[in-house]
Amino acid sequence: MAIENGDFIKVNFTGKIEETGDVFDTTYEEVAEKAGIAQQNKEYTPIPIVVGGNHLLPAIDEAVVGMEVGDEKEVKVDPENGFGQRDPSLVQLVPMREFKKQGMTPVPGMRITAEGQNGKILTVSGGRVKVDFNHELAGKHLDYNIKVEELIEDDEDKVKSMVQLHYAYPNMDIDKTEVDFDDKTVNIKLDEITRFDQKSYMDVTLARFRIAKDIWDNMDVDKVQFVDTFEKRTNDSEEEEEAEE
């Protein structure tokens, strides 16, 4: 069955910089380890997306349409359709005192965030620090290898796939997420461990909004509710948990 816009699928991919062959992102753990970019708390599995949902670069979305489960494809992305051309005005000199105010000691290669922009320190000279606020892949030609691993057809699995995509919480067990449909309303009760999420209120709210929007846009659902339930613990249950420990 050919993949269409609006389909929920799972894909594996590896992205390389064409000019150097360096891997900058991948869903394969062994590839990440070999490239020296493996992240300790990252789960390396096929990622769920909605085709045409702007979860990947538009060029990749377009390339996926027409593929079938098990198909692989090489996709080349130029800067205009990737992360844009480099903008010289985004290479800026920042006074050293600004770093001292934050208790930071800048060194070349350090990545920082300033006024919502991510940057990389290029040089430190005297009282000035040169920071590049361009995206690290700006101006680069990219090569992606994409493989369609699965077409998600069950409605409950579709909802859970968007939770996986947008609510990345270490050790979250997606099987403990409960999904209940009531006419055109879907109720989502997340894995209990997410209650201990250290993200800010705004980050959590944004993640939930993104989940809801993808469901509204691509399923026959008008309302998405996140159900947070806190149950009173009895002395017996507390003693049982302590005994298990």
Side-chain angles (χ1 to χ4, degrees):
M1 182 184 298
I3 301 299
E4 301 176 350
N5 277 316
D7 281 345
F8 289 69
I9 65 174
K10 288 187 178 183
V11 298
N12 270 314
F13 71 87
T14 295
K16 296 181 179 181
I17 299 172
E18 183 178 298
E19 290 86 350
T20 63
D22 292 338
V23 174
F24 61 85
D25 196 9
T26 184
T27 56
Y28 299 102
E29 186 170 11
E30 62 275 16
V31 175
E33 289 177 348
K34 186 175 181 179
I37 61 170
Q39 299 176 36
Q40 187 174 1
N41 294 322
K42 181 176 179 178
E43 186 176 3
Y44 288 89
T45 59
I47 65 167
I49 65 166
V50 178
V51 181
N54 296 318
H55 298 145
L56 298 176
L57 293 174
I60 299 176
D61 259 340
E62 293 172 7
V64 167
V65 174
M67 293 176 67
E68 297 185 359
V69 174
D71 285 353
E72 290 188 58
K73 182 180 285 188
E74 297 288 337
V75 183
K76 292 187 177 294
V77 182
D78 59 25
E80 287 74 18
N81 293 299
F83 295 91
Q85 295 287 358
R86 286 185 56 78
D87 181 352
S89 69
L90 292 179
V91 179
Q92 301 173 5
L93 289 174
V94 180
M96 176 68 78
R97 63 176 177 272
E98 296 300 325
F99 291 90
K100 289 184 177 180
K101 287 179 183 178
Q102 303 297 323
M104 297 172 58
T105 302
V107 295
M110 177 187 290
R111 296 197 172 277
I112 64 169
T113 300
E115 298 181 355
Q117 287 184 297
N118 295 319
K120 180 181 179 181
I121 294 175
L122 300 179
T123 62
V124 179
S125 178
R128 298 187 299 180
V129 180
K130 183 181 288 186
V131 184
D132 185 356
F133 288 103
N134 282 283
H135 190 284
E136 61 182 333
L137 296 175
K140 305 293 186 184
H141 291 77
L142 311 176
D143 288 335
Y144 282 89
N145 175 271
I146 306 292
K147 183 178 181 182
V148 178
E149 299 288 357
E150 181 182 346
L151 173 63
I152 304 170
E153 299 183 271
D154 179 79
D155 283 347
E156 182 176 330
D157 289 339
K158 288 180 180 180
V159 172
K160 287 184 177 181
S161 74
M162 292 301 96
V163 173
Q164 281 183 291
L165 177 65
H166 295 299
Y167 210 103
Y169 184 82
N171 302 316
M172 182 178 73
D173 185 349
I174 195 61
D175 291 331
K176 292 182 179 178
T177 293
E178 299 176 15
V179 177
D180 175 63
F181 290 90
D182 181 10
D183 194 18
K184 290 194 174 185
T185 297
V186 59
N187 299 300
I188 304 173
K189 184 178 178 181
L190 298 171
D191 179 3
E192 191 177 58
I193 197 172
T194 61
R195 295 178 190 169
F196 305 101
D197 197 344
Q198 298 299 309
K199 295 187 185 74
S200 70
Y201 173 80
M202 288 299 297
D203 287 340
V204 171
T205 301
L206 181 59
R208 293 187 176 196
F209 173 75
R210 287 172 173 167
I211 293 167
K213 187 176 188 306
D214 282 330
I215 293 171
W216 296 329
D217 290 349
N218 299 285
M219 298 178 68
D220 189 19
V221 169
D222 293 334
K223 187 176 182 180
V224 177
Q225 295 185 148
F226 289 88
V227 182
D228 292 319
T229 303
F230 296 86
E231 297 183 8
K232 181 179 179 180
R233 296 172 62 183
T234 65
N235 290 334
D236 289 343
S237 64
E238 290 175 351
E239 289 173 1
E240 287 175 5
E241 289 187 9
E242 289 175 0
E244 289 176 358
E245 292 176 356

